[in-house]
Each structure stands twice: as structure tokens, then as C-alpha cells.
Amino acid sequence: MKKLLTVTTLTLAAMTAGTAAQAEEFSVVGSWSSLPLHKQFETPFWTKTLSEVSGGDMTANLTTHDQMGVASGDVFRLLGQGVYDVAMTVGDYAVADSAPLEGLDVPLIATDADTARKMVEAARPMVDDIFRDVFNSKVLAIAPYPPQVVFCNAEVASLDDLKGKKIRASGRMTAKFLEALGAEGVNISFGEVPGSLQRGVIDCAVTGAGSGYNAGWWEVSTHLMTLPLGGWDPVVTAINMDKWNSLSDAQKTTLETAVKEKFEEPAWATAQDALENDIACLTGEGECTYGEARNLVLVRASEADSQKAREVLISKVLPDWAERAGAEWTKRWSETVGQVTGVEIK
């Protein structure tokens, strides 16, 4: 009997060791460490939720690209090379490697979270193909930052007042849009914006309202224009394709389901309310539920501003992108994103 128990104990130990050997610990690089998406959704998912839903079979070691000192434009390049397993950052940061990727985040055609999500879902097959072919990666999720609005350290009252101003854009298509308005699009990283506004290197900068609040842009700005000139700045979460292929079918299913239900869905569910609260926190107009309200001058778009912006987008910005992206990608965009938003590229 003692011999039998010894053999059984050794067998169980071997089985446990085999299970442990198959457990995965992902090296994960999150988006900006100071911003709500990372704090509220990325951190709890990768540090706690994934382990819980997988029964400890999958865990993660999480940092962010800014904590690592990795340039935002290099995040997905390094992911494709296998420097880490999973990464997430703004899709617009990677458009230098893929002009078609700009089609994920077109400004001004989604003024609410529901429309923005329909755009993203329509664009998802395109984004999947781009990440597979360009970044050797598989897309797991696309989650929103709030709409990209305009912080100015100058007096502005309408869209026409942006003409002649130096403005930090949140993406290439936004920069093209600003240039079409007669402004000068300036390429400055998110972290350099406060100092640049303070020194007068730029007059305005585009980012999400919540991002600007958490990063203290209200300290160096006077006006907030809420027309979504920069789209919704979707954040793509992707896994290195070689790492993905190494997972078991069960692990793949668990990971995809968990990311969708426990990360992507909750992020979208709060997007619209987050915008309204962020504006209240920045301007003091309304209730700020998570911090001290500031006093930026709120500049809401007039009907004339909205019409002009859309005309510029359709007549100049989208045709410019179509020329750079090529006919095949333009056709795919028109048949997907264009269909759900009612926007035609001329």
C-alpha cells in the first residue's frame, strides 16, 4: 500500500509539473500609464482578471511603453519582433508603417460612442490584415480613448480661429485636416505637449478630454474646443503572432473571450459618459465626478463649424488618404466604414 501511494504521489506531482509548464506568463506593454484606459481597464485585466478567468493558466507581467522609454511609434514594430508578447497603443502611432491603418480613426464622422464603435467594428477586418502582414501580430481588441478635442492656450471661438495656429495633431489624418483648415500641424509627442503649450511652441493640441485632464493640460491651456477633430483615437491591443500560434486552442479561446468581455466591452460601455464627465471636469460646466473641476473656456461647435469640418473632410482629407492608401484599401474602407457612416470618398 505504501509503495502504491508513493507511485500515485509521484504521478500526481508529474502531472502538476506538466500543467505548470504549460501555463503562460505574457510580457505585456500597456498604453500611457497616466491615462484612464490603462488605470481603469488595462491594469486590472492583465494583472488580475486574466489569471482569474484562466484558473491561473495565463498571467501577465505588465508595464507601459512610456515607463519603458519606448517611442510610441516603435511599440508595434517591437511587438512584431517578439521583444514582448502583447502590446497596446493608439493605432495612429503606427501609421508611419501603414497608410491604410489611418482609416481606423477618421475624424468628425462619429460624434458619439455608438457610432464610433460601429466604425471600429466595420474597420476591424482591415486592421486584422494590417497587423498580421505589417506587424506579425494578431489583434485582440480595439478600445476607445474619448473623442480627440482641442486644447488651446489662445483665444478661440470657432473653427475659423484655428487658421494660422500651430497645433499638435493626434494622428496623420488629423494633421492633414488641420492643414486643410489653414493651421500648421506639428508633430509633438503627448508627453511634450504641456511644455510646448507653455513656451508657445504650439498654440493648441489635440487629445482626448480625459487624457488632457489627467496629464494636466488644463494648467497650460485656456480654451477647450469639443469638436472631435481627432476622431476617437482607438487603442489596438495585439499579440505577437508567433506567441499566439504557440498557445493551445483552449488558451486562445479563453484569452479572446476574456479580452472581449472583461476589457473591450467595459471600455466601450463607459466611453460616452466619460466624455461628458471629462468636459465637466475641465470646464466646471456640469458635475465632475472624479476630481477637481477646472475652468477652461468651453467652445462648442456651431452648426456652421460642423458643416465646414465635414466638407473639408470629404473634399480634401479623405481623398488625400485614399491616394496614399491605394485603390484596394480605399475600396475596402468604402464598403465597410463608409457604409456604416454614410461617408463616400470622392
Side-chain angles (χ1 to χ4, degrees):
M1 179 63 73
K2 183 182 289 186
K3 186 175 181 180
L4 178 60
L5 287 173
T6 301
V7 172
T8 303
T9 301
L10 290 172
T11 302
L12 288 172
M15 290 174 62
T16 302
T19 301
Q22 295 173 19
E24 292 287 347
E25 182 180 44
F26 300 108
S27 57
V28 179
V29 175
S31 60
W32 289 100
S33 60
S34 63
L35 301 187
L37 183 66
H38 179 71
K39 292 180 177 180
Q40 296 174 18
F41 301 104
E42 292 173 4
T43 296
F45 177 82
W46 292 105
T47 62
K48 183 180 179 182
T49 304
L50 180 61
S51 178
E52 291 177 347
V53 300
S54 67
D57 185 43
M58 290 183 284
T59 61
N61 182 10
L62 176 68
T63 184
T64 62
H65 75 272
D66 55 306
Q67 291 170 331
M68 293 175 66
V70 173
S72 54
D74 290 334
V75 170
F76 291 130
R77 293 176 193 147
L78 295 176
L79 174 67
Q81 294 167 17
V83 175
Y84 30 76
D85 301 321
V86 178
M88 54 210 76
T89 196
V90 176
D92 273 338
Y93 291 167
V95 297
D97 295 303
S98 172
L101 187 57
E102 295 174 47
L104 173 62
D105 186 32
V106 178
L108 298 163
I109 61 176
T111 58
D112 60 77
D114 287 342
T115 304
R117 186 164 192 183
K118 289 176 182 177
M119 284 178 56
V120 165
E121 290 174 348
R124 178 68 182 265
M126 294 173 56
V127 179
D128 287 345
D129 289 349
I130 292 168
F131 271 74
R132 181 196 63 213
D133 297 339
V134 178
F135 300 111
N136 184 38
S137 303
K138 174 180 173 55
V139 175
L140 294 174
I142 304 177
Y145 275 150
Q148 305 295 287
V149 295
V150 189
F151 290 75
C152 286
N153 193 13
E155 187 170 347
V156 292
S158 70
L159 203 61
D160 288 338
D161 292 332
L162 298 181
K163 185 176 182 179
K165 289 183 168 51
K166 294 173 289 185
I167 305 176
R168 180 261 183 184
S170 59
R172 184 182 292 174
M173 198 174 290
T174 303
K176 293 293 184 181
F177 177 82
L178 292 168
E179 291 167 6
L181 291 176
E184 178 184 350
V186 181
N187 184 19
I188 293 177
S189 72
F190 179 83
E192 295 175 330
V193 167
S196 298
L197 281 169
Q198 190 172 36
R199 296 192 307 271
V201 175
I202 54 176
D203 303 298
C204 305
V206 178
T207 195
S211 303
Y213 179 88
N214 283 274
W217 288 20
W218 45 268
E219 295 182 290
V220 289
S221 302
T222 57
H223 290 64
L224 180 73
M225 179 178 287
T226 56
L227 191 67
L229 297 188
W232 286 71
D233 234 15
V235 172
V236 179
T237 299
I239 183 171
N240 174 274
M241 189 64 77
D242 299 321
K243 184 67 174 180
W244 172 256
N245 289 334
S246 75
L247 302 179
S248 69
D249 289 344
Q251 287 171 327
K252 290 176 180 177
T253 298
T254 298
L255 180 58
E256 282 192 299
T257 301
V259 168
K260 180 177 179 60
E261 295 180 355
K262 305 295 184 181
F263 169 66
E264 190 178 40
E265 295 279 358
W268 277 107
T270 63
Q272 189 64 39
D273 289 343
L275 170 62
E276 295 168 1
N277 188 70
D278 293 339
I279 292 173
C281 289
L282 285 164
T283 65
E285 297 194 18
E287 182 183 1
C288 178
T289 61
Y290 61 72
E292 184 179 347
R294 307 303 174 179
N295 61 354
L296 296 185
V297 176
L298 177 59
V299 182
R300 295 195 182 275
S302 66
E303 184 62 31
D305 284 338
S306 298
Q307 288 182 354
K308 179 177 181 178
R310 193 174 179 87
E311 288 170 4
V312 169
L313 173 73
I314 293 173
S315 65
K316 296 182 179 180
V317 178
L318 282 174
D320 176 80
W321 170 72
E323 184 175 344
R324 286 182 286 107
E328 180 182 349
W329 289 105
T330 301
K331 183 175 184 292
R332 287 188 66 177
W333 189 93
S334 297
E335 293 175 348
T336 54
V337 181
Q339 284 292 319
V340 301
T341 59
V343 173
E344 181 182 356
I345 298 180
K346 299 179 179 179

